[in-house]
Amino acid sequence: MTALELQASKQSLIESILSIDDVDTIEKVKRYLSRLRKTTHTTSQGPLVMTDSEFRETVIQATKDFRDGGKCYSQEDMRNIADI
């Protein structure tokens, strides 16, 4: 992404935030941005970077967990985890 594209993307995000009229939504955006910034500053590669073998192992384990009826999250659980 070029510097000009990055600046345009930032401006678009700012305009989207400025269009929010709900206090609860603003608070959620603030919390999410705070968490996102903490994650970005503490990890150099980002939270979802993994090798092909790590990815395959994760998928295999998730499939086993699902079949065994464990470690499954509902949509509501995921919202609570993401705090959105």
Side-chain angles (χ1 to χ4, degrees):
M1 181 178 284
T2 66
L4 185 59
E5 291 170 328
L6 178 62
Q7 192 64 27
S9 184
K10 287 179 180 181
Q11 185 63 36
S12 176
L13 178 60
I14 290 167
E15 290 171 4
S16 295
I17 292 170
L18 289 173
S19 71
I20 299 172
D21 291 330
D22 178 37
V23 175
D24 292 334
T25 303
I26 291 289
E27 289 302 317
K28 288 178 184 179
V29 169
K30 285 170 56 177
R31 283 195 309 268
Y32 180 73
L33 284 173
S34 175
R35 289 179 56 220
L36 185 62
R37 290 180 70 206
K38 287 178 186 175
T39 301
T40 304
H41 292 301
T42 58
T43 59
S44 59
Q45 294 180 341
L48 299 177
V49 175
M50 60 178 79
T51 65
D52 287 341
S53 61
E54 290 172 331
F55 176 74
R56 287 187 178 108
E57 290 173 21
T58 301
V59 170
I60 290 168
Q61 186 61 48
T63 303
K64 287 178 184 176
D65 290 340
F66 178 76
R67 287 184 183 149
D68 294 339
K71 291 189 181 180
C72 295
Y73 298 99
S74 69
Q75 187 172 6
E76 186 63 29
D77 293 335
M78 291 304 293
R79 283 189 180 128
N80 291 336
I81 290 169
D83 195 29
I84 293 177

Coordinates of all heavy atoms in Angstrom, one line a residue:
M1 N 0.9 -1.2 0.0 CA 0.0 0.0 0.0 C 0.9 1.2 0.0 O 1.8 1.4 0.8 CB -0.9 0.0 1.2 CG -1.9 1.1 1.3 SD -3.0 1.1 2.8 CE -4.1 -0.1 2.2
T2 N 0.6 2.1 -0.9 CA 1.4 3.3 -1.0 C 1.0 4.3 0.1 O 0.0 4.1 0.8 CB 1.2 4.1 -2.3 OG1 -0.2 4.5 -2.4 CG2 1.5 3.1 -3.5
A3 N 1.8 5.3 0.3 CA 1.6 6.3 1.4 C 0.3 7.0 1.1 O -0.5 7.3 2.0 CB 2.7 7.3 1.5
L4 N 0.0 7.3 -0.2 CA -1.2 8.0 -0.5 C -2.4 7.1 -0.3 O -3.5 7.6 0.3 CB -1.2 8.4 -2.0 CG -2.3 9.2 -2.5 CD1 -2.4 10.5 -1.7 CD2 -2.1 9.5 -4.0
E5 N -2.3 5.8 -0.6 CA -3.4 4.9 -0.3 C -3.7 4.7 1.2 O -4.8 4.7 1.6 CB -3.2 3.5 -1.0 CG -3.2 3.5 -2.5 CD -2.7 2.2 -3.1 OE1 -1.8 1.6 -2.5 OE2 -3.2 1.9 -4.1
L6 N -2.6 4.7 1.9 CA -2.7 4.6 3.4 C -3.4 5.8 3.9 O -4.3 5.7 4.8 CB -1.4 4.4 4.0 CG -1.3 4.3 5.5 CD1 -2.1 3.1 6.0 CD2 0.1 4.3 6.0
Q7 N -3.1 7.0 3.5 CA -3.7 8.2 3.9 C -5.2 8.2 3.6 O -6.0 8.6 4.4 CB -3.0 9.4 3.4 CG -3.4 10.7 4.0 CD -3.0 10.8 5.5 OE1 -2.0 10.1 5.9 NE2 -3.7 11.5 6.3
A8 N -5.5 7.8 2.4 CA -6.9 7.7 2.0 C -7.7 6.8 2.8 O -8.9 7.0 3.2 CB -7.0 7.4 0.5
S9 N -7.1 5.6 3.1 CA -7.7 4.6 4.0 C -8.0 5.2 5.4 O -9.1 5.0 6.0 CB -6.9 3.4 4.0 OG -7.5 2.4 4.8
K10 N -7.0 5.9 5.9 CA -7.2 6.5 7.3 C -8.3 7.5 7.2 O -9.1 7.6 8.2 CB -5.9 7.2 7.7 CG -4.8 6.3 8.1 CD -3.6 7.1 8.5 CE -2.4 6.3 8.9 NZ -1.2 7.1 9.3
Q11 N -8.3 8.3 6.2 CA -9.4 9.3 6.1 C -10.8 8.7 6.0 O -11.7 9.2 6.6 CB -9.1 10.2 4.9 CG -10.1 11.4 4.8 CD -10.0 12.4 5.9 OE1 -8.9 12.6 6.4 NE2 -11.1 12.9 6.4
S12 N -10.9 7.6 5.3 CA -12.1 6.9 5.2 C -12.6 6.4 6.5 O -13.8 6.4 6.9 CB -12.0 5.8 4.1 OG -13.2 5.0 4.1
L13 N -11.6 5.8 7.3 CA -11.9 5.3 8.6 C -12.4 6.4 9.5 O -13.4 6.3 10.3 CB -10.7 4.6 9.2 CG -10.8 4.1 10.6 CD1 -11.9 3.0 10.7 CD2 -9.5 3.5 11.1
I14 N -11.7 7.6 9.5 CA -12.1 8.7 10.3 C -13.5 9.2 10.0 O -14.3 9.4 10.9 CB -11.1 9.9 10.1 CG1 -9.7 9.5 10.7 CG2 -11.6 11.2 10.7 CD1 -8.6 10.4 10.4
E15 N -13.8 9.2 8.7 CA -15.2 9.6 8.3 C -16.2 8.6 8.8 O -17.3 9.0 9.2 CB -15.2 9.8 6.8 CG -14.5 11.0 6.3 CD -14.3 11.0 4.8 OE1 -14.9 10.2 4.1 OE2 -13.6 11.9 4.3
S16 N -15.9 7.3 8.7 CA -16.8 6.3 9.2 C -17.1 6.5 10.7 O -18.2 6.4 11.2 CB -16.3 4.9 9.0 OG -16.2 4.7 7.6
I17 N -16.0 6.8 11.5 CA -16.1 6.9 12.9 C -16.9 8.2 13.2 O -17.8 8.2 14.1 CB -14.8 7.0 13.6 CG1 -14.1 5.6 13.5 CG2 -14.9 7.4 15.0 CD1 -12.6 5.6 13.9
L18 N -16.7 9.3 12.5 CA -17.4 10.5 12.7 C -18.9 10.4 12.4 O -19.7 11.1 12.9 CB -16.8 11.6 11.8 CG -15.4 12.1 12.3 CD1 -14.9 13.1 11.3 CD2 -15.5 12.7 13.7
S19 N -19.3 9.4 11.6 CA -20.7 9.3 11.2 C -21.5 8.5 12.3 O -22.7 8.4 12.2 CB -20.8 8.6 9.9 OG -20.5 7.2 10.0
I20 N -20.8 7.9 13.3 CA -21.5 7.1 14.3 C -22.2 8.1 15.3 O -21.5 9.0 15.8 CB -20.5 6.2 15.1 CG1 -19.8 5.2 14.1 CG2 -21.2 5.5 16.2 CD1 -18.7 4.4 14.7
D21 N -23.5 7.8 15.5 CA -24.2 8.7 16.4 C -24.6 8.0 17.7 O -25.3 8.6 18.5 CB -25.5 9.2 15.7 CG -25.2 10.1 14.6 OD1 -24.2 10.8 14.6 OD2 -26.0 10.1 13.6
D22 N -24.2 6.8 18.0 CA -24.6 6.0 19.1 C -23.4 6.0 20.1 O -22.3 5.5 19.8 CB -25.0 4.6 18.7 CG -25.4 3.8 19.8 OD1 -26.0 4.3 20.8 OD2 -25.1 2.5 19.7
V23 N -23.6 6.4 21.3 CA -22.6 6.4 22.4 C -22.1 5.0 22.6 O -20.8 4.8 22.8 CB -23.1 7.0 23.7 CG1 -22.1 6.9 24.8 CG2 -23.5 8.5 23.5
D24 N -22.9 4.0 22.7 CA -22.5 2.6 22.9 C -21.6 2.1 21.8 O -20.6 1.5 22.1 CB -23.7 1.7 23.1 CG -24.5 1.9 24.3 OD1 -23.9 2.5 25.3 OD2 -25.7 1.6 24.3
T25 N -21.9 2.4 20.6 CA -21.1 2.0 19.5 C -19.7 2.7 19.5 O -18.7 2.1 19.3 CB -21.8 2.3 18.2 OG1 -23.0 1.7 18.1 CG2 -20.9 1.8 17.0
I26 N -19.7 4.0 19.9 CA -18.4 4.7 20.0 C -17.6 4.0 21.1 O -16.3 3.9 20.9 CB -18.7 6.2 20.4 CG1 -19.3 6.9 19.2 CG2 -17.4 6.9 20.8 CD1 -18.4 7.1 18.0
E27 N -18.1 3.7 22.2 CA -17.4 3.0 23.3 C -16.8 1.7 22.8 O -15.7 1.3 23.2 CB -18.3 2.9 24.5 CG -18.6 4.2 25.3 CD -17.3 4.9 25.7 OE1 -16.4 4.3 26.2 OE2 -17.3 6.1 25.5
K28 N -17.6 0.9 22.1 CA -17.1 -0.4 21.6 C -16.0 -0.2 20.6 O -15.0 -0.9 20.7 CB -18.3 -1.1 20.9 CG -19.3 -1.6 21.8 CD -20.4 -2.3 21.1 CE -21.5 -2.8 22.0 NZ -22.7 -3.4 21.3
V29 N -16.1 0.8 19.8 CA -15.0 1.1 18.8 C -13.7 1.5 19.6 O -12.6 1.1 19.3 CB -15.4 2.2 17.8 CG1 -14.2 2.7 17.0 CG2 -16.5 1.7 16.9
K30 N -13.9 2.4 20.6 CA -12.7 2.8 21.4 C -12.1 1.6 22.1 O -10.8 1.5 22.1 CB -13.2 3.8 22.5 CG -13.4 5.2 21.9 CD -14.1 6.1 22.9 CE -13.4 6.3 24.1 NZ -14.0 7.3 25.0
R31 N -12.9 0.7 22.7 CA -12.3 -0.5 23.3 C -11.6 -1.4 22.3 O -10.5 -1.9 22.6 CB -13.4 -1.3 24.1 CG -13.8 -0.7 25.4 CD -14.6 -1.6 26.2 NE -15.8 -2.2 25.5 CZ -17.0 -1.8 25.5 NH1 -17.3 -0.6 26.1 NH2 -18.0 -2.4 24.9
Y32 N -12.2 -1.6 21.2 CA -11.6 -2.4 20.1 C -10.3 -1.9 19.7 O -9.3 -2.6 19.5 CB -12.6 -2.6 19.0 CG -12.0 -3.5 17.9 CD1 -11.9 -4.9 18.1 CD2 -11.5 -3.0 16.7 CE1 -11.3 -5.7 17.1 CE2 -11.0 -3.7 15.7 CZ -10.8 -5.1 15.9 OH -10.3 -5.9 15.0
L33 N -10.3 -0.6 19.4 CA -9.0 0.1 18.9 C -7.9 0.0 20.0 O -6.8 -0.3 19.7 CB -9.3 1.5 18.6 CG -10.0 1.8 17.2 CD1 -10.3 3.2 17.1 CD2 -9.1 1.3 16.1
S34 N -8.3 0.1 21.2 CA -7.4 0.0 22.3 C -6.8 -1.4 22.3 O -5.5 -1.6 22.4 CB -8.0 0.3 23.6 OG -7.1 0.1 24.7
R35 N -7.6 -2.4 22.3 CA -7.1 -3.8 22.3 C -6.3 -4.1 21.0 O -5.3 -4.7 21.1 CB -8.3 -4.8 22.3 CG -9.0 -4.7 23.7 CD -10.2 -5.7 23.8 NE -9.8 -7.0 23.4 CZ -10.5 -7.9 22.7 NH1 -11.7 -7.5 22.2 NH2 -10.1 -9.1 22.4
L36 N -6.7 -3.6 19.9 CA -6.0 -3.8 18.6 C -4.6 -3.1 18.7 O -3.6 -3.7 18.3 CB -6.8 -3.2 17.5 CG -6.2 -3.4 16.1 CD1 -6.2 -4.9 15.8 CD2 -7.1 -2.7 15.1
R37 N -4.5 -1.9 19.2 CA -3.2 -1.3 19.4 C -2.3 -2.0 20.3 O -1.1 -2.1 20.1 CB -3.4 0.2 19.8 CG -4.0 1.0 18.7 CD -4.2 2.4 19.1 NE -2.9 3.1 19.2 CZ -2.7 4.1 20.0 NH1 -3.6 4.6 20.8 NH2 -1.5 4.6 20.0
K38 N -2.8 -2.5 21.4 CA -2.0 -3.3 22.4 C -1.5 -4.5 21.7 O -0.3 -4.9 21.8 CB -2.8 -3.7 23.6 CG -3.1 -2.5 24.5 CD -3.9 -3.0 25.7 CE -4.3 -1.8 26.5 NZ -5.3 -2.2 27.6
T39 N -2.3 -5.2 20.9 CA -1.9 -6.4 20.2 C -0.8 -6.1 19.2 O 0.2 -6.8 19.0 CB -3.1 -7.1 19.5 OG1 -4.0 -7.4 20.5 CG2 -2.7 -8.4 18.8
T40 N -1.0 -5.0 18.4 CA -0.1 -4.6 17.4 C 1.3 -4.2 18.0 O 2.3 -4.6 17.4 CB -0.6 -3.4 16.6 OG1 -1.9 -3.8 16.1 CG2 0.3 -3.1 15.4
H41 N 1.3 -3.6 19.1 CA 2.6 -3.2 19.7 C 3.3 -4.3 20.4 O 4.5 -4.2 20.6 CB 2.3 -2.0 20.7 CG 1.9 -0.7 20.0 ND1 2.6 -0.1 19.1 CD2 0.8 0.0 20.2 CE1 2.0 1.0 18.6 NE2 0.8 1.0 19.3
T42 N 2.6 -5.3 20.8 CA 3.3 -6.4 21.6 C 3.7 -7.5 20.7 O 4.6 -8.3 21.2 CB 2.3 -6.9 22.7 OG1 1.2 -7.4 22.1 CG2 2.0 -5.9 23.7
T43 N 3.3 -7.6 19.5 CA 3.7 -8.7 18.6 C 4.2 -8.1 17.3 O 3.6 -7.2 16.7 CB 2.5 -9.7 18.3 OG1 1.5 -8.9 17.6 CG2 2.0 -10.4 19.5
S44 N 5.4 -8.6 16.9 CA 6.0 -8.1 15.7 C 5.3 -8.6 14.4 O 5.3 -7.9 13.4 CB 7.5 -8.4 15.7 OG 7.7 -9.8 15.7
Q45 N 4.9 -9.9 14.4 CA 4.3 -10.4 13.2 C 2.8 -10.4 13.2 O 2.2 -10.6 12.1 CB 4.7 -11.9 13.1 CG 6.2 -12.1 12.9 CD 6.5 -13.6 12.8 OE1 5.8 -14.4 13.2 NE2 7.7 -13.8 12.2
G46 N 2.1 -10.1 14.2 CA 0.7 -10.1 14.3 C 0.1 -11.3 14.9 O 0.9 -12.3 15.0
P47 N -1.1 -11.3 15.3 CA -1.6 -12.4 16.1 C -1.9 -13.7 15.3 O -2.1 -14.7 15.9 CB -2.9 -11.8 16.7 CG -3.3 -10.8 15.7 CD -2.0 -10.2 15.2
L48 N -2.1 -13.6 14.0 CA -2.5 -14.8 13.2 C -1.5 -15.4 12.3 O -1.8 -16.1 11.4 CB -3.8 -14.4 12.4 CG -5.0 -14.0 13.3 CD1 -6.1 -13.6 12.4 CD2 -5.4 -15.1 14.2
V49 N -0.2 -15.0 12.5 CA 0.8 -15.6 11.6 C 1.2 -16.9 12.1 O 1.6 -17.1 13.3 CB 2.0 -14.6 11.6 CG1 3.2 -15.2 10.8 CG2 1.6 -13.2 11.1
M50 N 1.1 -17.9 11.2 CA 1.6 -19.3 11.5 C 2.1 -19.9 10.2 O 1.7 -19.5 9.1 CB 0.5 -20.1 12.2 CG -0.8 -20.3 11.4 SD -2.0 -21.3 12.2 CE -2.7 -20.2 13.3
T51 N 2.9 -20.9 10.4 CA 3.4 -21.7 9.3 C 2.3 -22.6 8.7 O 1.3 -22.8 9.4 CB 4.6 -22.5 9.7 OG1 4.2 -23.5 10.6 CG2 5.7 -21.7 10.3
D52 N 2.6 -23.2 7.5 CA 1.6 -24.1 6.9 C 1.4 -25.3 7.9 O 0.3 -25.7 8.0 CB 2.1 -24.6 5.6 CG 2.0 -23.5 4.5 OD1 1.3 -22.6 4.7 OD2 2.7 -23.7 3.5
S53 N 2.5 -25.8 8.4 CA 2.3 -27.0 9.3 C 1.5 -26.6 10.6 O 0.7 -27.4 11.0 CB 3.6 -27.6 9.7 OG 4.4 -26.7 10.4
E54 N 1.8 -25.5 11.1 CA 1.0 -25.0 12.3 C -0.5 -24.8 12.0 O -1.3 -25.2 12.8 CB 1.6 -23.7 12.9 CG 2.9 -23.8 13.5 CD 3.5 -22.5 13.9 OE1 3.2 -21.5 13.2 OE2 4.3 -22.4 14.8
F55 N -0.7 -24.3 10.8 CA -2.1 -24.1 10.4 C -2.8 -25.5 10.2 O -3.9 -25.6 10.7 CB -2.1 -23.3 9.0 CG -3.5 -23.2 8.5 CD1 -4.4 -22.3 9.1 CD2 -3.9 -23.9 7.4 CE1 -5.7 -22.2 8.6 CE2 -5.2 -23.8 6.9 CZ -6.1 -22.9 7.5
R56 N -2.1 -26.4 9.6 CA -2.7 -27.7 9.4 C -3.0 -28.4 10.7 O -4.1 -29.0 10.9 CB -1.8 -28.6 8.5 CG -1.8 -28.2 7.1 CD -1.1 -29.2 6.2 NE -1.2 -28.7 4.8 CZ -0.2 -28.2 4.1 NH1 1.0 -28.1 4.7 NH2 -0.4 -27.8 2.9
E57 N -2.0 -28.3 11.7 CA -2.2 -28.9 13.0 C -3.4 -28.3 13.7 O -4.2 -28.9 14.4 CB -1.0 -28.7 13.8 CG 0.2 -29.6 13.4 CD 1.5 -29.3 14.1 OE1 1.4 -28.7 15.2 OE2 2.6 -29.6 13.6
T58 N -3.6 -26.9 13.6 CA -4.7 -26.2 14.2 C -6.0 -26.7 13.6 O -7.0 -26.9 14.4 CB -4.5 -24.7 14.0 OG1 -3.3 -24.3 14.6 CG2 -5.7 -23.9 14.6
V59 N -6.1 -26.9 12.3 CA -7.3 -27.3 11.7 C -7.6 -28.7 12.1 O -8.8 -29.0 12.4 CB -7.2 -27.2 10.1 CG1 -8.4 -27.9 9.5 CG2 -7.1 -25.7 9.7
I60 N -6.6 -29.6 12.1 CA -6.9 -31.0 12.5 C -7.4 -31.0 14.0 O -8.3 -31.7 14.3 CB -5.6 -31.8 12.3 CG1 -5.3 -32.0 10.8 CG2 -5.7 -33.2 13.1 CD1 -3.9 -32.6 10.5
Q61 N -6.7 -30.3 14.9 CA -7.1 -30.3 16.3 C -8.5 -29.7 16.4 O -9.3 -30.2 17.2 CB -6.1 -29.5 17.1 CG -6.4 -29.5 18.6 CD -6.3 -31.0 19.1 OE1 -5.4 -31.7 18.9 NE2 -7.3 -31.4 19.9
A62 N -8.8 -28.6 15.7 CA -10.2 -28.0 15.8 C -11.3 -29.0 15.3 O -12.3 -29.1 15.9 CB -10.2 -26.7 15.0
T63 N -10.9 -29.8 14.2 CA -11.9 -30.7 13.7 C -12.1 -31.8 14.8 O -13.3 -32.2 15.0 CB -11.4 -31.4 12.4 OG1 -11.1 -30.3 11.5 CG2 -12.3 -32.3 11.8
K64 N -11.0 -32.3 15.4 CA -11.2 -33.3 16.5 C -12.0 -32.8 17.6 O -12.9 -33.5 18.1 CB -9.8 -33.8 17.0 CG -9.0 -34.6 16.0 CD -7.7 -35.0 16.6 CE -6.8 -35.8 15.6 NZ -5.5 -36.0 16.1
D65 N -11.7 -31.6 18.0 CA -12.4 -31.0 19.1 C -13.9 -30.9 18.8 O -14.8 -31.1 19.7 CB -11.9 -29.6 19.5 CG -10.5 -29.6 20.1 OD1 -10.1 -30.7 20.6 OD2 -9.8 -28.6 20.1
F66 N -14.2 -30.5 17.6 CA -15.6 -30.3 17.2 C -16.3 -31.7 17.2 O -17.4 -31.8 17.7 CB -15.7 -29.7 15.8 CG -17.1 -29.6 15.3 CD1 -17.9 -28.6 15.8 CD2 -17.6 -30.4 14.3 CE1 -19.2 -28.4 15.3 CE2 -18.9 -30.3 13.9 CZ -19.7 -29.3 14.4
R67 N -15.7 -32.7 16.7 CA -16.3 -34.0 16.6 C -16.5 -34.6 18.0 O -17.4 -35.3 18.3 CB -15.4 -35.0 15.8 CG -15.5 -34.7 14.3 CD -14.7 -35.7 13.5 NE -14.8 -35.4 12.1 CZ -13.8 -35.6 11.3 NH1 -12.7 -36.2 11.7 NH2 -13.9 -35.3 10.0
D68 N -15.6 -34.2 18.9 CA -15.7 -34.7 20.3 C -16.6 -33.9 21.2 O -16.8 -34.2 22.4 CB -14.3 -34.8 21.0 CG -13.4 -35.8 20.3 OD1 -13.8 -36.7 19.6 OD2 -12.1 -35.6 20.5
G69 N -17.2 -32.9 20.6 CA -18.1 -32.0 21.3 C -17.5 -31.0 22.3 O -18.2 -30.5 23.1
G70 N -16.2 -30.8 22.2 CA -15.6 -29.9 23.1 C -15.0 -28.7 22.4 O -14.9 -28.7 21.2
K71 N -14.6 -27.7 23.2 CA -14.0 -26.5 22.6 C -14.7 -25.8 21.5 O -14.1 -25.4 20.5 CB -12.5 -26.8 22.2 CG -11.6 -27.1 23.4 CD -10.2 -27.1 22.9 CE -9.3 -27.5 24.0 NZ -7.9 -27.5 23.6
C72 N -16.0 -25.8 21.6 CA -16.8 -25.1 20.6 C -17.4 -23.9 21.2 O -17.8 -23.9 22.3 CB -18.0 -26.1 20.1 SG -17.4 -27.5 19.2
Y73 N -17.5 -22.8 20.4 CA -18.0 -21.5 20.9 C -19.2 -21.1 20.1 O -19.2 -21.2 18.8 CB -16.9 -20.5 20.8 CG -15.7 -20.7 21.6 CD1 -14.5 -21.3 21.1 CD2 -15.7 -20.4 23.0 CE1 -13.4 -21.5 21.9 CE2 -14.6 -20.7 23.8 CZ -13.5 -21.2 23.2 OH -12.4 -21.5 24.0
S74 N -20.2 -20.6 20.7 CA -21.3 -20.1 20.0 C -21.0 -18.7 19.5 O -20.0 -18.1 19.9 CB -22.6 -20.0 21.0 OG -22.3 -19.0 21.9
Q75 N -21.8 -18.1 18.7 CA -21.6 -16.8 18.2 C -21.6 -15.8 19.4 O -20.8 -14.8 19.4 CB -22.7 -16.4 17.2 CG -22.4 -15.1 16.5 CD -23.4 -14.8 15.4 OE1 -24.3 -15.5 15.1 NE2 -23.1 -13.7 14.6
E76 N -22.5 -16.0 20.3 CA -22.5 -15.1 21.5 C -21.2 -15.2 22.3 O -20.7 -14.2 22.8 CB -23.7 -15.4 22.4 CG -23.9 -14.5 23.5 CD -24.2 -13.1 23.1 OE1 -24.8 -12.9 22.0 OE2 -23.8 -12.1 23.8
D77 N -20.7 -16.4 22.5 CA -19.4 -16.6 23.1 C -18.3 -15.8 22.5 O -17.5 -15.2 23.1 CB -19.0 -18.1 23.2 CG -19.9 -18.9 24.1 OD1 -20.6 -18.3 25.0 OD2 -20.0 -20.1 23.8
M78 N -18.3 -15.9 21.1 CA -17.2 -15.2 20.4 C -17.4 -13.7 20.5 O -16.4 -13.0 20.6 CB -17.3 -15.6 18.9 CG -16.9 -17.1 18.6 SD -15.2 -17.5 19.3 CE -14.2 -16.5 18.2
R79 N -18.6 -13.2 20.5 CA -18.8 -11.8 20.7 C -18.3 -11.3 22.1 O -17.7 -10.3 22.3 CB -20.3 -11.4 20.6 CG -20.7 -11.4 19.2 CD -22.1 -10.8 19.1 NE -22.5 -10.8 17.7 CZ -23.7 -11.3 17.2 NH1 -24.5 -11.9 18.1 NH2 -23.9 -11.2 16.0
N80 N -18.5 -12.2 23.1 CA -18.0 -11.9 24.5 C -16.5 -11.9 24.5 O -15.9 -11.1 25.2 CB -18.6 -12.8 25.5 CG -20.1 -12.6 25.7 OD1 -20.6 -11.5 25.4 ND2 -20.8 -13.6 26.1
I81 N -15.9 -12.9 23.8 CA -14.5 -13.0 23.8 C -13.9 -11.7 23.1 O -12.9 -11.1 23.6 CB -14.0 -14.3 23.1 CG1 -14.4 -15.5 23.9 CG2 -12.5 -14.2 22.7 CD1 -14.2 -16.8 23.2
A82 N -14.5 -11.3 22.0 CA -14.0 -10.2 21.2 C -14.4 -8.9 21.9 O -13.9 -7.8 21.6 CB -14.5 -10.2 19.8
D83 N -15.3 -8.9 22.8 CA -15.8 -7.8 23.5 C -16.3 -6.7 22.6 O -16.1 -5.5 22.7 CB -14.7 -7.2 24.4 CG -15.3 -6.2 25.5 OD1 -16.5 -6.3 25.9 OD2 -14.6 -5.3 25.8
I84 N -17.1 -7.2 21.6 CA -17.7 -6.3 20.6 C -19.1 -6.1 20.9 O -19.9 -7.0 21.2 CB -17.4 -6.8 19.2 CG1 -15.9 -6.7 18.9 CG2 -18.2 -6.0 18.2 CD1 -15.6 -7.3 17.5

